[in-house]
Amino acid sequence: MTIDHAAARAALLADEALYATLPLDGKALLALALSVLDAAPAPVAVKIAIAGRTIVEIAEDGTAGDNSHFLDLKLATVLGCGHSSLWWHHHLRATGRTLKDVDWADPFRVVDMGGGMPLFAGGRVIGGVAVSGLAHEDDHAVLMTAARAVLGQTTG
């Protein structure tokens, strides 16, 4: 099966737009982290950081130290590219590049996989949320399910 990476990248902008509507207060972000845990079909780790400060980090039983490491890599990717880490994954493939081809993308400090999503204030990326523990596309899907649940709780 051939993936249209440019189309996938474009479709992910709608996911980012949903994340741009999330409230950023502590209770809402804690609810987001807990919603990630609820949405995941297996143990995961989740981390939310804003302005270089960890707001919440939770690792369920069944996760490992590597999961925590991948949380940091996914958050660094989001902050570096200004998009979701899955957007970055598809962007690299759509442009025929790898992490080694991008000046800011040290392959030891960022990743080419989904599971990280930016958090926005005033249209700018100020932080992010990351999940690790599933296949990277599933990590992204869990982030989207969790955001929809939180928005349903805060608006409905």
Side-chain angles (χ1 to χ4, degrees):
M1 179 173 121
T2 302
I3 297 173
D4 183 344
H5 293 287
R9 178 183 60 190
L12 288 164
L13 295 177
D15 291 353
E16 293 176 15
L18 181 71
Y19 260 77
T21 66
L22 283 171
L24 299 179
D25 62 274
K27 286 183 180 180
L29 293 175
L30 177 59
L32 178 62
L34 295 174
S35 186
V36 165
L37 301 181
D38 288 343
V44 295
V46 60
K47 182 174 183 177
I48 300 174
I50 295 179
R53 184 175 63 132
T54 299
I55 305 302
V56 63
E57 184 171 1
I58 304 169
E60 292 185 298
D61 290 342
T63 61
D66 283 355
N67 295 113
S68 181
H69 178 68
F70 275 104
L71 294 174
D72 291 336
L73 293 173
K74 291 175 183 189
L75 288 171
T77 302
V78 165
L79 294 174
C81 74
H83 290 281
S84 74
S85 60
L86 189 57
W87 181 95
W88 182 243
H89 168 83
H90 288 295
H91 175 71
L92 288 175
R93 280 156 183 75
T95 58
R97 298 185 301 165
T98 68
L99 290 174
K100 293 178 184 177
D101 300 322
V102 181
D103 291 342
W104 66 266
D106 179 340
F108 295 106
R109 295 197 175 126
V110 297
V111 290
D112 174 15
M113 63 177 55
M117 186 63 74
L119 294 172
F120 301 89
R124 295 182 47 225
V125 175
I126 61 160
V129 55
V131 63
S132 176
L134 308 171
H136 78 112
E137 298 94 344
D138 295 336
D139 281 343
H140 181 87
V142 163
L143 288 174
M144 295 313 302
T145 299
R148 287 183 193 101
V150 167
L151 287 169
Q153 293 167 6
T154 61
T155 61

